[in-house]
Amino acid sequence: MKRHILLAATLMLGINSFAQGVADNIVGEIVDKSGNPISGAMIGVLNTPEIKVYSDSHGLFEISASQNDKLIVDAPDQAKKQVVVNGNKRIKIVMDYASQPVNIGFGIKQTVGESTMSVASSANADFNNRSAKNIGNSLFGNVLGLTTLQGTGDYSSYEPTFYVRGLQTLAGKNPLVLVDGIERNISYITPEEVENVIVLKDAPAVALYGYKGANGAINIVTKRGKYKSNEINFSYDHAFNWEERRPEFADAYTYANAMNEAFVNDGKAPKYSALELNAFQSGKYPYLYSNVDWIKECFKDVGASNIFNLSFRGGGTRMRYYTLINLQDNQGFVANPNMNDGYSTQNKYSKANFRTNLDIDLTNTTKVLVNIDGTLLETLRPGLSSDNLWDKIYTVPAASFPIKTESGLWGGNATWDGYSNPVALTEGRAYSKAHTRALFADLTLNQDLSAVTKGLSAWTRLAYDNISAYWENHTREYQFGSDAVSEWTNGEPSVYSHYTGGKDGTMSSDSKLDWQNKNFNFGIGANYDRTFGNHSISSVLMWNYEYRNSNGQNNTWYRNSASLYNHYGYKGKYYADLSLTMAASNKLAPGHRWAFSPTVSAAWLLSKENFMKDISFVDFLKLRASWGIINVDNIPAEGYWEQAFTGGSGYNLGGNYDWSSGWQEGRLASTSFTNEKSYKYNLGLDASLFKGLNVTLEGFYQRRSDIWVSAGGTNSAVLGADSPYINGGIVDNWGFELGTDYTKNITNDLLVNGGLNFTLSKNKIVDEREEPRAYNYLRRTNNSVEQIYGLQAIGFFKDQADIDNSPAQQFSQVKPGDIKYKDQNGDGVINENDEVKLGYNYVCPEIYYSFHIGMEYKGFGFNAMFQGVGNYTAVLNTKSMYWPLINNTNISNYYYENRWTPENTDAKFPRLTSESNENNFRTNSVWLEDRSFLKLRNIELYYKFANSLLAKTKYIKTAKVYVRGVDLLCFDHIKQSDPEQYGNNYPLTRSVVVGVALGF
């Protein structure tokens, strides 16, 4: 309060002198788009570098400036803004859309207002509300143009898949992932330590990364210190997790009936007698005719996880710091993990993460940036990962054997041995453990060389990463068995057979280095930043070297790049960029490892033109365009330029020599030595309207050419050897993006927020040197990458007469209830020549969208994020769930209830069979489902304590309590499984999180 009175008094006393144009104190306040104060920002006066002040914890500052001076604001999140004083004694500076940072790495930091590139970003306040284990799992729907898809539900390996603007090529489709401009694994990066996530999409944005940026790039920018401030923040999240769509498999009686039906359909006698069916149904003989719900016996309904964050942020004028300590643990769903003395068999995940980022001004002209991030990670699972616990859940039916025999042995038999017993794997198999140790470190030294010429500086950067994983095996063998009835007398079991297998063994223990990655980066460069009247120039000339090594063969890569980047501005409203990069990679053929990548881009700030001055609802409007060539070092195989030889059966030339093994000619050497190239075009519009609505509209087109493909499609089989690889592939990729965000303080107490992101990304294979095909509809060319092809089902055979009067299906003998296919070419035969394009691709959706809403009133608030996909197809070929009983597997209730029978000819699925059925169980329209979905990714209800209440504590500056829901709702077409993960793996989880965040 005293400070506010002093500022008001200063404002009143200085009005006279300021009106006369004499330098005087300006009182200012800096806030973000939501009206929250920004502390630790540096405020200077343009062309007067000796004048610098810093905003306090309330976002307030005082600075000496004259009427026509320009204030330069440099916020801690790297946002920048220039404000003309214009006679104002009190200024409120809002860090709006145009001032948001555009960080493409290599020390090149711009704002949206001056950038010519296609770049999208998301700030910490926007994505740090899922209580996610890492930053990757926080990005669903948050960044325009970025497709983020979930994988397995296993917490320890729960990592998303990323695509930028969809599928762009035939191989190597994932984007480059960076942390502070260096390629790194983001699995260990927590959301709390991240300031911004910036997605680089067009050619100029990725040009400086040489061979690596053609699929786009994701730059994770971590937090840095603040000027003249000292903050301590603590948060704790506790999550209650559950697996929502666990599969539902048939009980023992239903399974036995299904097997009998399958055997009869296959022309065999029923497998189970009426007495055995009654035994399964009654449960009278649980050790002989078991009925085990393996999911219920193995897993509990609710698991838990915890996340602790403690961070320190601040600094002075010479040194700024950010330090984070992050602790995480997750307890999985194993129902009885403590059945053994001395160890647990629970699925566990534990991680400790320490980061410190330092900015040190050694002198007025020499600065050092140091980033250190260390991680210790431990995961534990029951038994071995190769035991495939959930695969066993999908395999072993309820009727297979009891959990344990009457004599106490683990259940198992000749069909499903004891190491298929899911409960034995979770309780009696002991455990295995993995330890991961990671160190990420980088140092950048900047030297101002203005003494040589104004605006010149030089820098060098060193980075070293070392990640290693150690594996411990503490697994146990055990004896297993089962009893079976051989004869019945008077309706009761009378003669038994006994089966035993395995052996009782002590716990076997061993360990090894599982894998290790070592990466080294070195760069050196010179920057020139200067303004001459209406002209501004920002240039970088640099050289970068990269070494990446993974233990194993052919896993050491070297890359070099030399780049010149130029950014030119005229009158603050016309901008143009030119990038020239020469890059080399040892992955490519000797003598052909260098490639040249030129890019150009331009932007026009219409909102600064005189003809826009009277359009009051337009706050900011910019048009931009770009073009460029990005080279790619994807390769088809190691040593593709050399003749390959493989082991052969050899030749018997007589005599006493053993010619049982030998060598034979393999793939021919490639005579094509160029590399894959990406020609990117982009048009964009950025706008701020109505004092709160931000809009981005993009249109893009890309031609990917010289993609490596096999020449086999154009060579005759009489060649007598495997065809070489050639640069013959071409893929076109195009689409558009629309992003909107509206944030408005309706009153001092009411804040509303909402927005939408929408991306449509399509592609077409123009050429892949495809082999000749008998019919045009069989051709993959002119269709999309990863397009699904299969047979078009037109129903099920009703009876033998229907089979006799239909085209002959050549895959296997068909019976009533088998799938009937359309004869596409009318030749009277169903075979591979009748496969057609079905649905869309199963890898990446063509449509990816999200929308969010939020509101805050007097500290009470909520926000919600919905995210969905479209033009996406699922292939439902999961064993037991959709392809049951084959090879002694289980059957789901869903299949059983929707199977074909003579009484249910309008069924969803074909007849039951216990035999391999090449006709039914192949890719066809029966097994395809619309994979589009809409999910409630996260919702948060919170309360922020009032400052007046916190002031009484003297120490707590901010306090927030919240409840979050993660992936609570899913609207889709599959229903029985999650559309993002419907295989025989860990089901995806949903969570409710309670948490608290405190600032000191």
Side-chain angles (χ1 to χ4, degrees):
M1 179 61 73
K2 291 179 180 179
R3 178 177 176 83
H4 292 175
I5 294 172
L6 177 61
L7 290 177
T10 303
L11 174 63
M12 296 302 296
L13 291 173
I15 289 178
N16 248 356
S17 59
F18 187 78
Q20 298 171 13
V22 179
D24 207 338
N25 283 352
I26 307 299
V27 178
E29 179 185 11
I30 306 174
V31 298
D32 62 17
K33 67 177 184 178
S34 300
N36 301 312
I38 297 176
S39 63
M42 183 172 68
I43 305 95
V45 178
L46 185 65
N47 298 323
T48 313
E50 63 273 11
I51 299 179
K52 292 179 183 178
V53 298
Y54 310 93
S55 60
D56 65 12
S57 60
H58 301 286
L60 300 173
F61 67 90
E62 288 184 51
I63 192 169
S64 178
S66 300
Q67 180 173 347
N68 296 319
D69 282 343
K70 282 186 178 179
L71 301 184
I72 304 174
V73 179
D74 190 350
D77 67 349
Q78 301 178 3
K80 296 181 183 294
K81 189 170 186 176
Q82 291 189 15
V83 180
V84 180
V85 174
N86 268 349
N88 297 311
K89 284 289 295 178
R90 186 172 183 89
I91 298 175
K92 184 174 183 178
I93 302 173
V94 179
M95 302 306 287
D96 53 17
Y97 178 50
S99 65
Q100 287 181 2
V102 173
N103 187 329
I104 66 171
F106 305 105
I108 301 171
K109 300 172 184 177
Q110 300 173 357
T111 63
V112 170
E114 62 181 319
S115 174
T116 65
M117 305 172 186
S118 178
V119 176
S121 66
S122 181
N124 187 276
D126 299 323
F127 58 71
N128 195 9
N129 50 19
R130 271 180 63 88
S131 300
K133 78 170 201 176
N134 60 33
I135 182 60
N137 292 304
S138 302
L139 299 180
F140 298 99
N142 275 288
V143 192
L144 181 63
L146 177 65
T147 296
T148 307
L149 301 172
Q150 284 180 301
T152 177
D154 177 22
Y155 194 89
S156 63
S157 53
Y158 180 66
E159 305 298 337
T161 302
F162 297 119
Y163 300 95
V164 174
R165 292 181 167 176
L167 302 178
Q168 303 179 22
T169 186
L170 298 174
K173 306 174 182 68
N174 298 117
L176 173 65
V177 179
L178 309 160
V179 178
D180 294 323
I182 300 172
E183 183 178 0
R184 281 174 168 158
N185 188 330
I186 64 169
S187 300
Y188 314 112
I189 306 298
T190 64
E192 184 66 27
E193 65 195 286
V194 177
E195 189 77 73
N196 291 294
V197 176
I198 299 178
V199 176
L200 315 177
K201 296 179 282 189
D202 65 350
V206 300
L208 301 181
Y209 292 98
Y211 279 113
K212 301 192 297 182
N215 295 329
I218 306 167
N219 190 17
I220 309 299
V221 181
T222 59
K223 293 178 179 178
R224 309 209 67 80
K226 294 184 176 183
Y227 289 98
K228 304 282 283 186
S229 61
N230 183 16
E231 300 175 0
I232 301 175
N233 290 285
F234 169 80
S235 66
Y236 168 62
D237 294 353
H238 179 79
F240 302 91
N241 311 309
W242 68 95
E243 297 169 327
E244 177 65 20
R245 295 191 183 183
R246 287 174 171 171
E248 296 181 5
F249 293 112
D251 61 20
Y253 178 69
T254 304
Y255 167 80
N257 277 293
M259 285 298 294
N260 281 355
E261 184 178 317
F263 271 45
V264 172
N265 289 339
D266 295 334
K268 297 182 289 189
K271 181 176 182 178
Y272 297 101
S273 67
L275 289 172
E276 291 176 308
L277 289 177
N278 289 334
F280 281 125
Q281 187 175 33
S282 67
K284 185 177 181 181
Y285 313 104
Y287 293 106
L288 300 171
Y289 297 94
S290 62
N291 181 23
V292 183
D293 185 336
W294 294 111
I295 292 179
K296 182 178 179 181
E297 296 295 336
C298 285
F299 305 113
K300 57 185 179 180
D301 292 332
V302 179
S305 57
N306 298 282
I307 301 176
F308 299 83
N309 290 301
L310 178 63
S311 65
F312 305 85
R313 190 177 192 182
T317 58
R318 288 288 188 182
M319 194 271 284
R320 281 81 59 202
Y321 61 88
Y322 173 77
T323 298
L324 170 75
I325 300 171
N326 168 263
L327 301 176
Q328 298 183 28
D329 75 84
N330 174 267
Q331 301 288 321
F333 298 98
V334 173
N336 300 297
N338 300 311
M339 304 299 289
N340 304 278
D341 292 334
Y343 64 87
S344 169
T345 59
Q346 184 61 269
N347 269 320
K348 292 182 181 180
Y349 174 93
S350 303
K351 183 174 81 78
N353 180 62
F354 174 82
R355 167 176 290 278
T356 184
N357 291 348
L358 302 175
D359 294 72
I360 305 170
D361 298 349
L362 298 178
T363 70
N364 290 334
T365 59
T366 306
K367 299 182 180 181
V368 175
L369 282 71
V370 179
N371 302 324
I372 299 174
D373 184 23
T375 298
L376 296 176
L377 172 65
E378 181 178 285
T379 61
L380 185 147
R381 67 176 67 236
L384 294 166
S385 59
S386 58
D387 288 330
N388 291 325
L389 175 59
W390 268 97
D391 180 76
K392 301 302 189 297
I393 294 289
Y394 275 80
T395 301
V396 180
S400 56
F401 44 69
I403 297 172
K404 285 188 173 183
T405 67
E406 196 166 9
S407 63
L409 291 180
W410 288 113
N413 54 37
T415 303
W416 303 282
D417 67 27
Y419 297 112
S420 297
N421 184 328
V423 176
L425 293 179
T426 61
E427 297 181 16
R429 187 69 163 139
Y431 67 99
S432 57
K433 185 184 291 188
H435 305 268
T436 302
R437 303 168 185 173
L439 173 66
F440 307 93
D442 57 90
L443 179 148
T444 303
L445 176 66
N446 289 279
Q447 179 63 51
D448 188 342
L449 298 176
S450 295
V452 178
T453 183
K454 187 176 181 181
L456 181 65
S457 62
W459 56 268
T460 185
R461 182 179 70 179
L462 292 169
Y464 177 75
D465 303 340
N466 193 327
I467 313 171
S468 57
Y470 299 87
W471 178 80
E472 294 180 29
N473 167 34
H474 300 281
T475 52
R476 185 186 298 277
E477 293 183 335
Y478 47 78
Q479 194 172 21
F480 51 85
S482 58
D483 299 321
V485 177
S486 301
E487 293 183 16
W488 293 72
T489 303
N490 298 324
E492 295 290 333
S494 57
V495 180
Y496 307 90
S497 63
H498 305 279
Y499 173 87
T500 58
K503 61 180 180 180
D504 286 326
T506 58
M507 186 183 299
S508 62
S509 297
D510 59 85
S511 61
K512 66 176 181 178
L513 173 65
D514 204 15
W515 55 267
Q516 184 174 24
N517 295 335
K518 293 179 288 186
N519 307 321
F520 174 75
N521 289 266
F522 173 73
I524 187 168
N527 291 35
Y528 184 69
D529 299 282
R530 190 77 181 272
T531 299
F532 305 91
N534 290 326
H535 306 272
S536 62
I537 297 174
S538 178
S539 298
V540 181
L541 177 63
M542 62 182 176
W543 175 76
N544 287 279
Y545 167 81
E546 177 189 41
Y547 164 89
R548 304 183 70 83
N549 172 264
S550 301
N551 59 316
Q553 291 183 325
N554 300 316
N555 287 328
T556 300
W557 300 335
Y558 305 90
R559 292 186 179 98
N560 290 282
S561 64
S563 304
L564 174 63
Y565 168 77
N566 298 281
H567 177 70
Y568 170 74
Y570 178 65
K571 290 187 175 181
K573 53 186 176 183
Y574 310 108
Y575 294 95
D577 285 13
L578 171 67
S579 293
L580 305 172
T581 298
M582 285 290 295
S585 170
N586 76 322
K587 297 173 70 175
L588 302 173
H592 302 273
R593 290 176 171 172
W594 287 90
F596 177 58
S597 295
T599 70
V600 294
S601 55
W604 177 21
L605 270 68
L606 282 80
S607 52
K608 289 194 174 183
E609 297 289 357
N610 290 330
F611 61 79
M612 296 289 294
K613 298 296 184 184
D614 295 330
I615 305 179
S616 59
F617 68 87
V618 176
D619 308 310
F620 167 72
L621 179 62
K622 181 183 70 175
L623 295 176
R624 49 184 166 77
S626 69
W627 168 88
I629 302 173
I630 304 298
N631 288 280
V632 186
D633 64 355
N634 285 342
I635 60 174
E638 293 291 338
Y640 60 90
W641 58 86
E642 296 175 329
Q643 169 69 59
F645 294 91
T646 60
S649 57
Y651 301 93
N652 188 353
L653 302 179
N656 297 319
Y657 299 101
D658 180 11
W659 297 96
S660 61
S661 62
W663 293 94
Q664 68 183 30
E665 188 178 38
R667 185 197 67 249
L668 297 178
S670 296
T671 57
S672 178
F673 291 116
T674 188
N675 57 275
E676 185 176 337
K677 302 175 187 65
S678 171
Y679 298 83
K680 291 176 176 284
Y681 303 81
N682 197 90
L683 291 173
L685 177 148
D686 302 312
S688 290
L689 311 171
F690 306 107
K691 306 296 181 185
L693 175 63
N694 301 324
V695 179
T696 297
L697 180 63
E698 304 260 9
F700 59 90
Y701 167 77
Q702 175 188 212
R703 166 152 288 193
R704 193 70 71 88
S705 67
D706 292 324
I707 303 170
W708 286 103
V709 295
S710 172
T714 57
N715 292 337
S716 170
V718 300
L719 179 65
D722 292 339
S723 294
Y725 296 107
I726 59 174
N727 297 105
I730 300 175
V731 172
D732 284 349
N733 164 250
W734 69 94
F736 76 91
E737 300 165 347
L738 173 64
T740 66
D741 180 80
Y742 181 74
T743 302
K744 189 73 172 180
N745 283 292
I746 305 300
T747 68
N748 289 335
D749 295 325
L750 177 62
L751 172 72
V752 296
N753 175 261
L756 165 73
N757 285 335
F758 181 91
T759 298
L760 172 66
S761 179
K762 299 181 74 66
N763 65 78
K764 181 177 71 172
I765 301 173
V766 178
D767 190 3
E768 60 175 345
R769 302 299 168 93
E770 185 176 5
E771 65 187 63
R773 298 187 188 271
Y775 304 94
N776 285 334
Y777 61 78
L778 295 174
R779 289 181 59 79
R780 274 52 174 164
T781 305
N782 293 321
N783 291 319
S784 64
V785 177
E786 304 292 356
Q787 171 66 54
I788 298 170
Y789 299 90
L791 298 166
Q792 179 63 55
I794 55 175
F796 302 107
F797 289 112
K798 297 179 181 178
D799 48 35
Q800 188 60 45
D802 189 11
I803 295 173
D804 295 339
N805 293 319
S806 298
Q809 306 204 171
Q810 295 186 338
F811 302 112
S812 61
Q813 181 184 2
V814 294
K815 295 182 178 182
D818 284 338
I819 303 173
K820 182 196 297 188
Y821 298 114
K822 182 178 179 180
D823 185 2
Q824 301 289 345
N825 55 13
D827 64 354
V829 174
I830 302 297
N831 55 26
E832 285 86 353
N833 285 334
D834 295 295
E835 291 186 347
V836 294
K837 178 174 69 173
L838 299 173
Y840 298 92
N841 83 81
Y842 62 95
V843 176
C844 176
E846 292 184 348
I847 295 173
Y848 192 88
Y849 64 94
S850 64
F851 56 91
H852 66 275
I853 55 173
M855 180 182 296
E856 182 177 319
Y857 179 71
K858 292 187 175 180
F860 292 94
F862 83 95
N863 56 70
M865 165 72 79
F866 292 84
Q867 181 264 308
V869 303
N871 291 5
Y872 196 29
T873 300
V875 181
L876 303 178
N877 55 9
T878 308
K879 71 177 181 181
S880 299
M881 191 70 193
Y882 301 105
W883 291 9
L885 302 182
I886 303 169
N887 297 323
N888 298 310
T889 56
N890 207 345
I891 183 172
S892 66
N893 287 327
Y894 181 59
Y895 192 104
Y896 187 77
E897 293 164 0
N898 290 277
R899 74 198 187 282
W900 183 94
T901 65
E903 299 74 34
N904 182 26
T905 58
D906 294 326
K908 186 176 180 66
F909 302 125
R911 68 179 175 93
L912 294 177
T913 176
S914 63
E915 300 174 344
S916 177
N917 188 312
E918 293 296 323
N919 183 82
N920 293 346
F921 301 120
R922 63 189 309 109
T923 303
N924 62 65
S925 57
V926 169
W927 308 118
L928 300 190
E929 186 61 86
D930 184 351
R931 202 177 178 182
S932 59
F933 62 82
L934 174 64
K935 288 188 175 185
L936 175 58
R937 285 296 188 186
N938 44 271
I939 184 169
E940 179 183 55
L941 304 175
Y942 64 86
Y943 175 67
K944 294 179 180 177
F945 288 85
N947 291 334
S948 58
L949 181 63
L950 296 176
K952 298 177 182 179
T953 68
K954 297 184 181 180
Y955 301 106
I956 302 176
K957 297 179 181 178
T958 61
K960 173 184 174 181
V961 293
Y962 47 86
V963 177
R964 294 170 176 168
V966 180
D967 296 324
L968 292 184
L969 299 176
C970 180
F971 306 95
D972 64 291
H973 303 272
I974 296 178
K975 306 300 183 185
Q976 305 304 312
S977 308
D978 193 284
E980 289 189 277
Q981 204 295 100
Y982 51 81
N984 54 330
N985 208 324
Y986 290 79
L988 295 182
T989 60
R990 301 182 180 181
S991 305
V992 170
V993 182
V994 294
V996 59
L998 304 174
F1000 302 90

